[in-house]
Amino acid sequence: MTTDVLRRPALAERQARAAVAVLFFTNGALFANLLPRYPQIKADLGIGNAAYGLAVAAFPTGAIVAGMAAGVLIRRLGSARVAVVSTLLTGAGILVAGMAHSVVLFAGALFLAGAMDAITDVAQNAHGLRVQRRYGRSIINSFHAIWSIGAVTGGSMAAAAIALGLSRGAHLAVSGVLFGLAACVALRFALPGPDTEPVEDADEKGAGSGAPRRNGRPAVAARVRYVMIALVLIATAGTLVEDAGNSWAALYLSDSLNASAALAATGFIALVGAQFVGRILGDRLVDRFGQRAVARAGGLIAAVGMGLALAVPTVPGTILGFAAAGFGVATLVPAAMLEADELPGLKPGSGLTIVSWLMRLGFLLSPPVVGLVADEAGLRLGLMVVPLAGVLVVVCAGVLRTVSVKR
């Protein structure tokens, strides 16, 4: 280990880490407060599965449209400031979506919330990686674990609000104000100054890799493209599983398995709760077995766990199946982001932005596809997207490291 790794982080760095943790927490909690309300919203709007799937696809559509704007905003305003402002706008969009009395307004509000959520995601990860560089060791997985805590908290708040008969407007207004204030307080303790740092020359970055050169440049461009595609697929598989919990867990448990509204909310809670456990354990598992083995084992757990739950449908078994899926994909998105951010020949942050943007295709494509399949053959068959995503991870995990990152 180097002296930089061994030194104790300064107070400002520890405060900045706490601030980023708060941003990840609020980001997870805000949207999770809306998700268990989806069955009520669908019933109130009187729409079928296909129309519902298209409507909730507005959230990832907004993310796709706005995602690439995050880099420009971060360079001009700073990652922490951008994360906080977009958090506030995400909360506003979620509130409007929860109170919408038409499909158009519901979809439009989700589009706004999705656009702001995408910008928040890139900005908070950018600031988290900035703090990580100050620490001299990996801490990014801990931030994603905090996001899972936020998601569990938000889902639990929604379940409690449903059980207490609290209106959607009152519930989501309280949630938006509470987490918006938390994000504003976090801004005060974020790292000051610009996010831009000296960019390492691409040729120098590749020089130490031992790769052969053609015409003075590393002969790795083709492999970088291949690895980037595989990383996007791995991250997208993670988002497909997350979306299954977000958009369909409560609906499947309540409509197909006749669970009560409060009990149906536990499907999503089980998924993100197990995802949190997986992220807490993730660093130790990767250090011992390597990222490739962890990802492949996780993909297998997700495929087998959810596959069995769908093969033998019961309420307890389905909740356990969503938990297995969440645990299996726990480290996929952080791993893909970190791996992409360290690819040779790319400017710092470019790989992170590309993966973060493209992985949202999973959120965009999953709801309408699952909805169409559900209308034709039932939601049980539509949720086969979860075990299939696990299989995709097993196939693509070869691009990940076989050993842990040196610290």
Side-chain angles (χ1 to χ4, degrees), residues 152 269-279 322-328 330:
V152 171
I269 296 170
L271 186 144
V272 293
Q275 189 179 56
F276 162 72
V277 173
R279 285 173 173 171
F322 278 113
F327 184 82

Side-chain angles (χ1 to χ4, degrees), residues 13-399:
E13 294 164 348
R14 298 197 302 273
Q15 290 177 335
R17 181 177 182 176
V20 175
V22 170
L23 292 175
F24 271 82
F25 181 88
T26 58
N27 182 246
L30 274 173
F31 192 43
N33 268 276
L34 177 65
L35 296 176
R37 294 286 196 170
Y38 273 179
Q40 293 176 330
I41 295 173
K42 179 177 178 290
D44 289 348
L45 295 177
I47 56 178
N49 286 325
Y52 167 77
L54 289 171
V56 297
F59 187 91
T61 301
I64 291 291
V65 170
M68 293 303 285
V72 176
L73 294 172
I74 288 169
R75 285 191 293 272
R76 292 184 178 180
L77 303 175
S79 57
R81 203 172 289 166
V82 170
V84 171
V85 172
S86 54
T87 293
L88 297 176
L89 293 174
T90 299
I94 288 171
L95 175 61
V96 175
M99 299 177 65
H101 295 291
S102 71
V103 177
V104 173
L105 182 58
F106 176 58
L110 286 180
F111 182 92
L112 170 64
M116 294 302 101
D117 179 75
I119 293 173
T120 302
D121 186 39
V122 176
Q124 67 187 11
N125 273 286
H127 206 77
L129 289 173
R130 186 181 171 197
V131 174
Q132 176 173 282
R133 286 190 289 271
R134 295 284 191 94
Y135 265 67
R137 57 185 173 87
S138 178
I139 57 174
I140 194 68
N141 275 325
S142 68
F143 294 138
H144 286 263
I146 293 295
W147 183 94
S148 296
I149 295 176
V152 171
T153 301
S156 301
M157 288 173 62
I162 292 170
L164 293 172
L166 196 63
S167 70
R168 291 198 298 270
H171 159 217
L172 295 174
V174 169
S175 168
V177 171
L178 176 64
F179 295 118
L181 286 175
C184 289
V185 172
L187 178 61
R188 181 172 179 269
F189 299 98
L191 291 176
D195 286 84
T196 54
E197 296 180 5
V199 177
E200 184 181 8
D201 181 76
D203 286 341
E204 292 179 3
K205 193 173 183 178
S209 65
R213 289 174 174 270
R214 294 195 190 107
N215 300 325
R217 293 186 179 185
V220 295
R223 173 162 176 78
V224 166
R225 286 193 293 270
Y226 162 74
V227 171
M228 179 62 75
I229 292 170
L231 292 175
V232 169
L233 290 175
I234 290 171
T236 301
T239 63
L240 285 172
V241 174
E242 288 185 19
D243 181 71
N246 292 353
S247 303
W248 302 104
L251 200 62
Y252 178 65
L253 284 162
S254 61
D255 287 4
S256 300
L257 301 181
N258 299 316
S260 66
L263 181 59
T266 61
F268 166 74
I269 296 170
L271 186 144
V272 293
Q275 189 179 56
F276 162 72
V277 173
R279 285 173 173 171
I280 287 293
L281 299 175
D283 285 330
R284 290 184 180 181
L285 293 174
V286 169
D287 284 342
R288 182 168 183 178
F289 302 108
Q291 190 63 259
R292 183 184 301 175
V294 171
R296 280 182 172 158
L300 189 62
I301 290 171
V304 173
M306 197 62 193
L308 288 174
L310 293 173
V312 186
T314 64
V315 171
T318 298
I319 293 172
L320 289 175
F322 278 113
F327 184 82
V329 303
T331 63
L332 296 185
V333 172
M337 286 182 170
L338 286 170
E339 200 84 27
D341 202 46
E342 297 180 0
L343 283 176
L346 296 179
K347 295 180 179 179
S350 296
L352 167 65
T353 302
I354 292 170
V355 168
S356 180
W357 184 58
L358 290 178
M359 76 177 185
R360 291 179 179 272
L361 288 173
F363 284 120
L364 175 63
L365 298 176
S366 179
V369 170
V370 174
L372 289 171
V373 173
D375 275 349
E376 293 296 325
L379 185 51
R380 180 181 169 192
L381 184 61
L383 285 174
M384 279 298 296
V385 68
V386 176
L388 290 176
V391 173
L392 180 63
V393 172
V394 174
V395 172
C396 295
V399 300

